[in-house]
Amino acid sequence: MRSVALVTLGCARNEVDSEELAGRLAADGWRLVDDAAEADVAVVNTCGFVEAAKKDSVDALLEAADLKGSGRTQAVVAVGCMAERYGDQLATALPEADAVLGFDDYADVSARLRGILAGERHVAHAPRDRRALLPISPVARGAAARTVAVPGHGATAPGSASASSGAPDLPAGLAPASGPRVLRRRLGSGPVAPLKLASGCDRRCAFCAIPAFRGAYVSRQPQEVLTEARWLAEQGVRELVLVSENSSSYGKDLGDLTALEKLLPQLAAVDGIARVRVSYLQPAEVRPGLLDVIADTDKVAAYFDLSFQHASGPLLRRMRRFGDADRFLELLAAIRQRAPLAGARSSFIVGFPGETDADLAELERFLVEARLDAMGVFGYSDEEGTEAATLDGKLPEPEVAERLERFSTLVEELVAQRAEDRVGERVEVLVERAGDDGPEGPAEHQAPDVDGLTVLTGDAPVGSLVIARVVAAAGADLVAEPLEPALSSTSPQPAGAAGRPA
């Protein structure tokens, strides 16, 4: 039996894509291993978002390539966003990788890997703008979306049965297929898992290259998402993190802009699921109805991951985005009116071409008034193929670095201050792991892995949901004292027990 290791870099969307590849490979007889040194093939799922991420991806490929000749590893293969974005260019620049596979190769990934091990030369694809593969109008995409390779979306698995003939005979641990849908094999065992809502993006932000290599926006069918959610719950998952390039656009290509509002209560009702969290919302697309559902639905986290990027209106227009500081503050006020303890996070770019001192002053004003729980700050750098790379008003790299340092320091202080404000509040903590200082995991206002976490002072098993009171803060992290016995993943939950903490 051939063995394969999947090394995943980048965001949670890449994690889902790796689990799709793992499902396809396991269904075709491959043995999955954690350590690349113990695998016949090391598959590196790369990130192609910004320069730092691309460097990490190249480093991971080179590290895997160093294993060849000294152990079991015979081949190293690049997949993912960087592989799709650069294709044959990456293959030429990085001969240490035995092959570069694009998204079109995912459906036949097992055959590709077997061929590579047999000494066949794989010709990498020439990069192309994947937005051109589907109609411009979202509602016109329909069945056409099924003809384009989109990671994480419906595609018939090897040997799978059709919807009319029942479930396929698949190895244990694989997502069951009912009709054309993606196989998935979990690569971890924790109580939190990402669940893909959609792929691609229809926005044209001046600084972002993602739409060109991820393609146009394509929603997954609600029933497909629900089926996978039930399967994840059967695998012991307690919190679902809904991921996409833009979750607030979900359903627009299905002809229903309220599809997410309808789907969230159904996901929250899945047996075994204790919490559903939505990530990446575009402020310009957040509707009052969506605010109401997120804020008021039991088991849906009152958490708002809002893509602000800046707060100066004129600079945001230059970025091809909408809004300004006052509109964003109004949105946050509307959220907190509905859910006073709601969590909110965002990311910001400093040093964008043409950014003035007045723009920075407006950004600083917003950050101070917004009281966000988590923030990321990035220094602008050119990305080839983007409009921003052609703009005038470029700032010298030392100036961008100075602005990044200044605002990173400010953000760190503001996040710590916001955490201090939460001392005395009741929080609902999902225990994700046994930490050195006690059980730890995300509270409702903290997204797993990207925000702070909460450490509990009492015992609680992994996967349990704990109502606690915050007694201390350290940076973005909290310390909380349990107030009620943990709600385990196996014990029936009393009615209302998992509702919003008062």
Side-chain angles (χ1 to χ4, degrees):
M1 182 184 290
R2 292 295 193 182
S3 58
V4 59
L6 287 127
V7 180
T8 306
L9 295 95
C11 64
R13 298 185 292 277
N14 255 17
E15 182 181 334
V16 177
D17 294 348
S18 285
E19 294 191 347
E20 173 194 341
L21 293 172
R24 292 184 180 279
L25 291 165
D28 202 37
W30 288 77
R31 181 169 62 90
L32 301 172
V33 297
D34 295 330
D35 188 352
E38 301 298 322
D40 295 309
V41 185
V43 176
V44 180
N45 192 349
T46 60
C47 179
F49 181 39
V50 293
E51 284 304 317
K54 287 183 277 189
K55 182 181 182 304
D56 288 344
S57 295
V58 170
D59 289 345
L61 286 163
L62 292 174
E63 183 179 344
D66 286 341
L67 298 172
K68 292 190 296 182
S70 60
R72 177 167 182 149
T73 308
Q74 301 174 47
V76 174
V77 176
V79 300
C81 290
M82 186 175 174
E84 177 61 42
R85 182 176 182 182
Y86 295 105
D88 53 4
Q89 300 170 22
L90 179 61
T92 300
L94 197 71
E96 291 85 352
D98 297 278
V100 175
L101 304 184
F103 296 152
D104 291 338
D105 294 305
Y106 280 23
D108 299 314
V109 65
S110 178
R112 299 285 187 273
L113 298 190
R114 291 184 187 279
I116 292 163
L117 284 179
E120 298 174 7
R121 179 176 177 270
H122 178 77
V123 179
H125 66 283
R128 57 179 172 169
D129 189 335
R130 294 188 69 87
R131 291 172 294 190
L133 300 180
L134 291 170
I136 293 175
S137 170
V139 294
R141 289 168 194 162
R146 293 288 183 182
T147 68
V148 175
V150 182
H153 287 248
T156 304
S160 66
S162 67
S164 61
S165 58
D169 183 15
L170 297 174
L174 292 182
S178 55
R181 63 182 302 270
V182 164
L183 284 173
R184 180 174 179 180
R185 175 71 171 262
R186 290 205 74 199
L187 295 174
S189 58
V192 178
L195 176 58
K196 184 174 284 192
L197 274 179
S199 288
C201 185
D202 288 340
R203 303 188 72 87
R204 297 294 182 265
C205 301
F207 53 81
C208 185
I210 289 176
F213 58 85
R214 274 290 183 178
Y217 194 88
V218 180
S219 301
R220 296 180 71 191
Q221 292 290 333
Q223 192 55 50
E224 187 177 300
V225 177
L226 280 166
T227 300
E228 191 162 319
R230 296 185 186 105
W231 174 79
L232 287 168
E234 291 169 1
Q235 303 299 305
V237 170
R238 297 278 280 149
E239 177 169 329
L240 301 172
V241 182
L242 306 185
V243 298
S244 70
E245 275 74 24
N246 176 10
S247 296
S248 43
S249 277
Y250 179 73
K252 70 176 186 178
D253 53 322
L254 305 178
D256 185 1
L257 282 172
T258 65
L260 185 56
E261 288 98 302
K262 297 171 183 174
L263 180 61
L264 284 172
Q266 296 178 71
L267 289 170
V270 171
D271 286 345
I273 296 301
R275 189 155 66 201
V276 179
R277 186 184 304 274
V278 184
S279 65
Y280 213 83
L281 300 169
Q282 285 287 344
E285 297 180 9
V286 177
R287 303 165 296 279
L290 181 58
L291 290 185
D292 291 339
V293 170
I294 294 177
D296 298 335
T297 305
D298 190 29
K299 295 188 181 180
V300 174
Y303 174 83
F304 295 84
D305 177 10
L306 299 161
S307 175
F308 291 132
Q309 303 299 347
H310 210 280
S312 165
L315 192 72
L316 284 165
R317 303 302 169 272
R318 194 168 167 85
M319 291 179 169
R320 303 295 183 199
R321 294 180 63 85
F322 302 95
D324 54 39
D326 290 335
R327 293 184 189 180
F328 294 161
L329 289 170
E330 289 173 3
L331 174 59
L332 290 169
I335 289 169
R336 288 162 178 156
Q337 182 179 15
R338 291 167 169 83
L341 303 185
R345 82 172 321 272
S346 192
S347 296
F348 302 90
I349 298 171
V350 294
F352 189 81
E355 185 181 56
T356 65
D357 289 342
D359 295 328
L360 289 175
E362 187 71 344
L363 175 59
E364 183 171 353
R365 177 179 78 88
F366 172 73
L367 295 178
V368 171
E369 295 184 27
R371 298 173 62 243
L372 300 175
D373 291 279
M375 292 178 267
V377 183
F378 301 89
Y380 171 81
S381 62
D382 283 341
E383 282 293 316
E384 61 266 40
T386 64
E387 180 187 355
T390 68
L391 294 176
D392 57 10
K394 298 283 177 60
L395 298 173
E397 287 187 13
E399 175 66 17
V400 175
E402 187 278 328
R403 294 182 183 195
L404 175 61
E405 182 178 2
R406 169 186 160 192
F407 275 86
S408 295
T409 300
L410 173 63
V411 159
E412 185 176 349
E413 293 172 353
L414 292 173
V415 167
Q417 188 177 92
R418 179 68 181 127
E420 286 284 353
D421 291 343
R422 289 197 177 272
V423 173
E425 290 182 0
R426 284 164 56 97
V427 291
E428 194 175 72
V429 181
L430 179 71
V431 179
E432 193 171 9
R433 66 185 69 87
D436 294 337
D437 299 319
E440 62 185 32
E444 187 173 353
H445 70 278
Q446 298 168 320
D449 300 325
V450 295
D451 298 343
L453 54 80
T454 300
V455 178
L456 296 171
T457 59
D459 293 332
V462 171
S464 61
L465 201 65
V466 179
I467 305 297
R469 189 174 301 282
V470 179
V471 295
D477 298 335
L478 303 176
V479 178
E481 183 180 81
L483 296 177
E484 301 176 11
L487 296 174
S488 73
S489 58
T490 55
S491 302
Q493 296 185 16
R500 301 238 182 271

